[in-house]
Structures are given as structure tokens and as C-alpha cells.
Amino acid sequence: MSSRVAVVTGGNKGIGLAIVRALCKQFEGDVYLTARDVGRGQAAVESLGTEGLKPMFHQLDINDLNSIINAAAFFKQKYGGVDVLINNAGIAFKVADTAPFAVQAEVTLKTNFFATRDMLTHFMPLIKAGGRVVNVSSFVGCRTLNQCSEALKQRFRSDDITEDELVGLMQRFVDEAKKGSHKEDGWADTAYGVSKTGLTTLSYILARRLSKERPNDGILLNACCPGWVRTDMAGPKAPKSPDEGAETPVYLALLPPGATEPHGKFVSEKEVQPW
């Protein structure tokens, strides 16, 4: 039994699969590719096997709370916790999608913010000393925040925003989107952007909490942008390959023992970015 373990959500394709590939080559321990669909997840594991890599598979649907709870129990029982957690799973509606904005807002935030938060709620207590947590966010989140009202900018960028307040703001966006009044309420007109604004802000909040509650454990938690990557989500015109997109998340996941920075930051191209 290996004592060290890395877990990647949404690992069966795109950036997630590339992250698993890189960790299999660089991480000393077991690497778990997780996916909501068992067939697709196991097929991805087999495809990496043809490259001589040996990831393991565990079913994990971040939109299913029982799935999260079961996975958390598995990793606690088998490994005593988790050394590296990369929250990669996410969705984005295509620009041409005809789904009403209210639907896009609810569905996008359900996965990219609320479900990812559920993952963090259940997995953060499992992160071992020296652990690394990486939330795959996007520069779109920062750009979106700059399009919001001054009042919203102030709250999202404040050092005293709480997790409960953030959850309330995210729910408010969904509620206002359903009423068709999100723009009047000060929000930008992008569900994906708001979801990533929320995820990056949640990363700051949780990093501050770690520093306060587990100051001696050396855990580093960051949000990052992989860049514009050729995936099903971002389309074929993006400049980066999935393997190039995986570079920053993997860099943060493998920050050396004893490192103190970056922590509670937003990182792109391996550099801390302003928020």
C-alpha cells in the first residue's frame, strides 16, 4: 500500500486527463483518475496504460453528494487521507447554446461552485500535513469581477468575506438570473465567469482558514488558470494543448516539501496573478 495519494476530479478527458498523465510521471505515490461515468473513467485509465502509466480509478461525481462522501471515506480508510487534491471537474455552456440564461446560471454554478465547494467541505479535513490543494479556476473569473458593480468587487476582494457570505452571493446571482435582473443587481452577464469568480474567492477563504486553523501543517491551497486549452469545453481553436494546460495545476500540486508560497493565491503560467 502506497502511503501517498493524489486525486484528480474530472480526470477522464481534457485538462483533467493531462493532469493525471503528468502526475503519473512525477508524483511519488498512487494517482487516482476520478470521473462520474465508470465506463469513460476506466477507458481513460486503460488509454494511459498504453503509455506505460498506471493511474487508479475511483468513481466520483461531484454533483452527487453521496458520491463525494463515499469517495472521501474510501481515501480516508485506504490512505489515511489525501496528499494532493486537484479540483478540475467543471462545465461551460457553448456560446451558441440556446438554453435560457437562467438555466445556464443554475447549472453552471451548481457544478463549478456549489459542487466543488462540497468536494472541499468533505476533503479538506482529509488533506494531510504537507498536502497540496489546487482548484482549477480561470482568468475569466477576474475579468468577470471587473465587470461587476463596485459593491460586489469590494466584497469579493475583501479579506473578511466569509464562506457563508460567498455562498449567499453565489445563490443571489442564480436567483437574480432566474428573475432576469442579474445585470441590474450589479452582476456581469456570464454564468461561467461568475462561477469562477466564486471558486477563486472560495480558494482565498479556505487558504486563510488553513493558515489560521492548521498553521503548522504546511498545506498549500491555490486557485489557478490553465490557460485557453484545446478541449471539448474550449474548442479546437485554443492555442494550448491539454498537456500544456496541465503545467500550472501540476506545478502547484507538486510544490516541494517545506515550500510556503504560493498559498491562497491565483496562479497562471506558474506566476501569481493580481486579483
Side-chain angles (χ1 to χ4, degrees):
M1 169 180 139
S2 167
S3 60
R4 300 193 77 227
V5 62
V7 179
V8 183
T9 69
N12 60 291
K13 64 178 183 177
I15 297 168
L17 182 63
I19 289 170
V20 172
R21 177 185 289 114
L23 288 176
C24 283
K25 295 174 180 175
Q26 299 175 57
F27 177 74
E28 293 180 9
D30 290 343
V31 179
Y32 275 80
L33 182 159
T34 75
R36 59 186 173 188
D37 183 281
V38 173
R40 286 199 290 262
Q42 289 177 336
V45 165
E46 286 169 20
S47 76
L48 290 173
T50 66
E51 299 174 33
L53 304 174
K54 295 185 175 137
M56 299 166 91
F57 176 71
H58 199 284
Q59 191 276 340
L60 177 53
D61 178 357
I62 69 167
N63 278 309
D64 177 351
L65 194 55
N66 283 329
S67 178
I68 292 175
I69 291 168
N70 289 338
F74 168 81
F75 288 110
K76 184 175 185 184
Q77 188 271 322
K78 183 165 184 181
Y79 295 94
V82 171
D83 297 279
V84 171
L85 172 64
I86 301 185
N87 286 305
N88 165 76
I91 62 164
F93 282 82
K94 298 280 191 277
V95 175
D97 199 296
T98 55
F101 187 78
V103 171
Q104 295 195 25
E106 184 163 36
V107 172
T108 303
L109 267 74
K110 182 177 188 293
T111 296
N112 293 1
F113 178 77
F114 290 104
T116 304
R117 176 181 175 248
D118 287 338
M119 269 295 300
L120 288 157
T121 297
H122 289 276
F123 273 77
M124 286 298 288
L126 301 183
I127 303 299
K128 298 180 194 173
R132 306 287 181 253
V133 180
V134 183
N135 295 325
V136 179
S137 190
S138 171
F139 69 90
V140 177
C142 188
R143 198 168 70 193
T144 296
L145 184 55
N146 287 332
Q147 296 167 0
C148 292
S149 68
E150 288 303 319
L152 286 172
K153 282 184 208 169
Q154 191 179 353
R155 288 319 299 150
F156 278 104
R157 290 188 169 126
S158 70
D159 287 339
D160 62 357
I161 185 171
T162 63
E163 187 174 353
D164 285 345
E165 182 185 357
L166 175 62
V167 168
L169 285 168
M170 293 286 101
Q171 188 59 50
R172 184 174 116 190
F173 170 74
V174 174
D175 294 344
E176 294 294 334
K178 286 180 178 175
K179 292 188 280 190
S181 54
H182 58 283
K183 287 189 273 193
E184 289 85 350
D185 194 41
W187 298 95
D189 198 24
T190 159
Y192 180 78
V194 170
S195 76
K196 294 301 191 179
T197 302
L199 179 57
T200 302
T201 306
L202 179 62
S203 304
Y204 290 149
I205 292 168
L206 294 179
R208 287 195 286 264
R209 187 182 300 163
L210 274 173
S211 297
K212 184 178 175 188
E213 295 178 359
R214 299 178 65 179
N216 301 318
D217 280 359
I219 298 168
L220 300 180
L221 182 154
N222 293 284
C224 71
C225 178
W228 189 19
V229 178
R230 291 188 294 278
T231 60
D232 289 350
M233 190 190 286
K237 294 178 182 172
K240 281 188 172 186
S241 69
D243 287 329
E244 289 169 328
E247 285 179 9
T248 292
V250 171
Y251 156 73
L252 291 171
L254 300 178
L255 287 167
T260 56
E261 286 289 330
H263 175 58
K265 299 290 191 285
F266 178 65
V267 179
S268 176
E269 306 295 342
K270 302 184 186 176
E271 297 285 336
V272 173
Q273 304 297 318
W275 175 241

